Each structure stands twice: as structure tokens, then as C-alpha cells.
């Protein structure tokens, strides 16, 4: 299992969350309403995963959400465990994407 505290610290993200694809919270770091966030990101990942299957575009790997106030990078593993990192600094997007790719490629 990934050490979420270390991951948040290494990437400079403000917060992180571990959950399963059904939105069941496993762990969170610096995140208010973590159960709600896990459920919402879980639903987004599940819907995106089903969409990629419907269009025969392979398995879902990662979803990135960018808004005016920051970014969310969420990855899903083959066994449907998920990690999301949240940052208010959009300049960290590349670092977050790369770190998540590294973690989930193993």
C-alpha cells in the first residue's frame, strides 16, 4: 500500500485520499469532507471507466480535473483501488501526473 502522507509531502499537494472505486474511504490526508470527496471521485472514475469500455478505448488509468482554483489527479489500479491528489497550485500538475504514473505503473 502507498504511504499517502509521504505521497502528499513529496508532490507538494495540499491533500490526498485513498478509496476504492465504490467511493469507500480508506485513508485521507488534510481533507475536509473526505467521505463525500471519496464518493464523488469514485463515481467519476467509475463513469469514466465504463465510458472507455463502451468506446473500446482500453482500461481507464487516470482522470485529471482542472478548475479555476486547482487540480485533482485521480488514478485507478487494476484491483479498483484509487488514489487522488488535490492541489491549489496548477503549476504542480506535471509533477502530480508523473508521480501518479510512476506509482501505478508498478
Amino acid at each position: 500500500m502507498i504511504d499517502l502522507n509521504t505521497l502528499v509531502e513529496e508532490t507538494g499537494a495540499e491533500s490526498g485520499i485513498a478509496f476504492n472505486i465504490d467511493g469507500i474511504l480508506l485513508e485521507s490526508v488534510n481533507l475536509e469532507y473526505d467521505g463525500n470527496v471519496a464518493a464523488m471521485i469514485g463515481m467519476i472514475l467509475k463513469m469514466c471507466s465504463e465510458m472507455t469500455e463502451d468506446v473500446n478505448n482500453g482500461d481507464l488509468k487516470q482522470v485529471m480535473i482542472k478548475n479555476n482554483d486547482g487540480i485533482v489527479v485521480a488514478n485507478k489500479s487494476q484491483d479498483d483501488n484509487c488514489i487522488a491528489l488535490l492541489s491549489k497550485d496548477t503549476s504542480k500538475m506535471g509533477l502530480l501526473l508523473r508521480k501518479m504514473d510512476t506509482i501505478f505503473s508498478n
Side-chain angles (χ1 to χ4, degrees), residues 18-83:
F19 53 100
N20 69 21
I21 194 72
D22 293 320
I24 305 299
L25 177 67
L26 303 173
E27 180 183 5
S28 72
V29 174
N30 302 329
L31 190 61
E32 192 173 0
Y33 309 114
D34 50 5
N36 291 341
V37 173
M40 288 184 280
I41 297 175
M43 182 57 67
I44 291 167
L45 287 169
K46 188 177 270 191
M47 290 175 63
C48 290
S49 182
E50 291 172 0
M51 183 205 62
T52 60
E53 289 172 13
D54 288 348
V55 296
N56 296 320
N57 203 14
D59 292 331
L60 177 71
K61 179 178 175 182
Q62 186 174 69
V63 171
M64 196 259 313
I65 303 166
K66 181 179 177 214
N67 61 29
N68 291 338
D69 296 323
I71 58 171
V72 176
V73 176
N75 273 60
K76 181 184 88 60
S77 68
Q78 293 293 357
D79 61 357
D80 287 343
N81 285 319
C82 307
I83 299 265

